[in-house]
Amino acid sequence: MKTHVNAGWLIFILALGAGFSVAAIYYAQPLLPLMGSTLHLNVEGMGLIPTLTQAGYALGILFLLPLGDRYDRRTLILLKSVMLAALLLLCSVTQHFHPLLVVSLLIGMAATMAQDIVPAAAILAPAGKQGKMVGTVMTGLLLGILLSRTVSGVIGELFGWRVVYQAAAVSIALIGVLMWRVLPRFTAHSSLSYPALMVSLVHLWQRYPTLRRAALAQGLLSIAFSAFWSTLAVMLLEHHHMGSAVAGGFGIAGAAGALAAPLAGGLADKVGAEKVTQLGAALVTVSFALMFILPVLPPLAQLALIALSAIGFDLGLQSSLVAHQNLVYSLEPQARGRLNALLFTVVFIGMALGSVLGSQLYALAGWEGVVGLATVAGGCAWVVRWLETRRLHRAALQPGF
């Protein structure tokens, strides 16, 4: 499978596509007060909008990603880009609450085109460069997650929330056309029917302990990540009297850490993904543990340490994710779509748990409770990776391995 497009240009377009498509599920979060005012919603009603978008994304990961092993990924990416652009435009003109909820759910499902792009990058990567190429594309995806809130908040405040969705629709339409032009056709690796594809998810999960441990470790890191970001704005308001714009600024700090993730992908190609997963989990754990000293620092130093920690744990989380994807994709190349679906289903379970547990612990034990949860989750992820390394070492010593 060859493409005549310059490799650097191709990686850039794939990273843009991953970032813009995943951003669609986060645009609503800073816009909720504006949407609530327009549609006359209470707090519970506003909260349902991002909840259903995230639910749609999780459903799309589980039920749509396996199609990448059965059909041409280029076609799937085009179809999802058309659907996502149309749904974002529809969202911008929706006048009533319940249709908005339905559209939000469908936006989440269509936004899983981001997760079709990542396996495509792995397939197109030259030999020995898979980690670096996947890392670069995943950087685009994480930047989309971290920066989408800041961008939508600024545009929404200046021009209104509907303009945010209209601009998003245009961006997806443009990136969809670009990817259609530069991507080659992909060979389908499976002839299974859709029901058989879904059943095969269970078999893949049972067959590969490496997949299960990768998903568990990354899910634990996702708990830490989500607990921090879901409570940061509340903590900044209560302890530092700062608004959501400042919380968005910490997203930029996290994005700085994410930019270094391609280095982690290259490192995984050289020293092995196993070592990178342990280093990533250790960096997440240490970055959160540092925040235990916040109470003894002056206010400005506290903010500086939080920003430094955000850079550290975002780099650790992203590095670990890239390395885990390398491990998982190598298990069965013809099943990359299904393997990716299983990995990210657990990741988003971790995201949901982190949000719920983080909020509850903040209410019960304050910011120290959130930091404690994140540190323990990161430490458990490191233990999972350490035990996996020991298991592989013992297996390598067995005769006939």
Side-chain angles (χ1 to χ4, degrees):
M1 184 185 315
K2 302 290 184 184
T3 176
H4 300 292
V5 179
N6 176 272
W9 177 238
L10 176 61
I11 295 172
F12 178 69
I13 293 174
L14 292 175
L16 275 182
F20 276 113
S21 53
V22 79
I25 67 175
Y26 295 100
Y27 287 135
Q29 291 181 352
L31 301 174
L32 292 177
L34 297 174
M35 299 171 83
S37 175
T38 303
L39 301 174
H40 310 292
L41 306 178
N42 56 23
V43 175
E44 290 79 7
M46 287 186 283
L48 281 175
I49 297 170
T51 298
L52 282 176
T53 308
Q54 292 276 9
Y57 195 72
L59 290 172
I61 284 174
L62 185 59
F63 292 107
L64 297 182
L65 282 199
L67 293 173
D69 295 332
R70 178 66 179 83
Y71 300 101
D72 178 11
R73 275 193 176 84
R74 179 172 178 260
T75 302
L76 291 174
I77 290 170
L78 174 68
L79 290 174
K80 285 187 178 179
S81 67
V82 171
M83 291 175 57
L84 183 55
L87 288 164
L88 289 166
L89 189 60
L90 181 60
C91 182
S92 75
V93 298
T94 301
Q95 301 292 330
H96 301 288
F97 177 54
H98 290 100
L100 179 62
L101 293 182
V102 174
V103 172
S104 297
L105 180 74
L106 295 175
I107 284 174
M109 296 184 73
T112 55
M113 69 178 278
Q115 299 299 337
D116 291 307
I117 293 170
V118 178
I123 293 170
L124 295 173
K129 300 290 185 181
Q130 186 183 78
K132 184 176 182 180
M133 191 158 177
V134 171
T136 302
V137 174
M138 286 301 299
T139 296
L141 187 145
L142 190 60
L143 287 175
I145 293 173
L146 293 171
L147 298 181
S148 55
R149 301 175 181 93
T150 304
V151 172
S152 69
V154 171
I155 295 177
E157 187 172 335
L158 292 175
F159 305 106
W161 68 269
R162 297 185 187 278
V163 173
V164 173
Y165 282 95
Q166 290 162 4
V170 172
S171 71
I172 293 296
L174 291 175
I175 202 68
V177 170
L178 274 176
M179 286 192 291
W180 178 252
R181 290 182 63 86
V182 304
L183 286 175
R185 293 191 178 277
F186 292 82
T187 303
H189 293 293
S190 174
S191 59
L192 295 174
S193 65
Y194 181 73
L197 277 175
M198 299 308 297
V199 171
S200 72
L201 291 174
V202 178
H203 297 154
L204 288 169
W205 183 261
Q206 294 172 340
R207 187 181 309 153
Y208 295 116
T210 297
L211 168 64
R212 297 195 297 271
R213 291 177 177 89
L216 175 59
Q218 198 63 43
L220 286 165
L221 295 177
S222 298
I223 289 175
F225 177 87
S226 182
F228 175 88
W229 289 112
S230 64
T231 56
L232 177 65
V234 177
M235 186 278 289
L236 289 174
L237 180 63
E238 292 186 355
H239 292 268
H240 298 277
H241 309 291
M242 295 177 172
S244 57
V246 177
F250 283 97
I252 296 174
L259 287 173
L263 301 177
L267 187 63
D269 291 330
K270 294 177 181 177
V271 304
E274 279 291 341
K275 291 182 179 179
V276 176
T277 60
Q278 288 190 56
L279 289 171
L283 183 55
V284 170
T285 306
V286 171
S287 296
F288 280 113
L290 282 173
M291 285 191 277
F292 280 118
I293 68 173
L294 286 175
V296 303
L297 298 176
L300 284 178
Q302 290 182 17
L303 295 174
L305 179 58
I306 293 171
L308 180 64
S309 295
I311 293 171
F313 75 71
D314 274 320
L315 172 58
L317 176 112
Q318 176 74 345
S319 300
S320 182
L321 178 57
V322 170
H324 278 137
Q325 286 180 299
N326 276 0
L327 288 171
V328 168
Y329 289 163
S330 65
L331 295 173
E332 195 171 320
Q334 67 272 23
R336 281 192 176 110
R338 284 165 286 168
L339 293 168
N340 201 45
L342 289 166
L343 175 63
F344 273 89
T345 296
V346 178
V347 165
F348 270 83
I349 290 172
M351 289 284 191
L353 282 174
S355 180
V356 172
L357 294 175
S359 299
Q360 291 180 346
L361 278 171
Y362 186 84
L364 292 172
W367 185 244
E368 291 78 9
V370 175
V371 171
L373 169 66
T375 304
V376 170
C380 289
W382 183 87
V383 170
V384 170
R385 297 316 315 168
W386 178 72
L387 291 174
E388 175 69 353
T389 300
R390 290 191 63 189
R391 182 186 74 84
L392 292 173
H393 180 68
R394 288 195 302 268
L397 295 176
Q398 292 177 359
F401 181 80

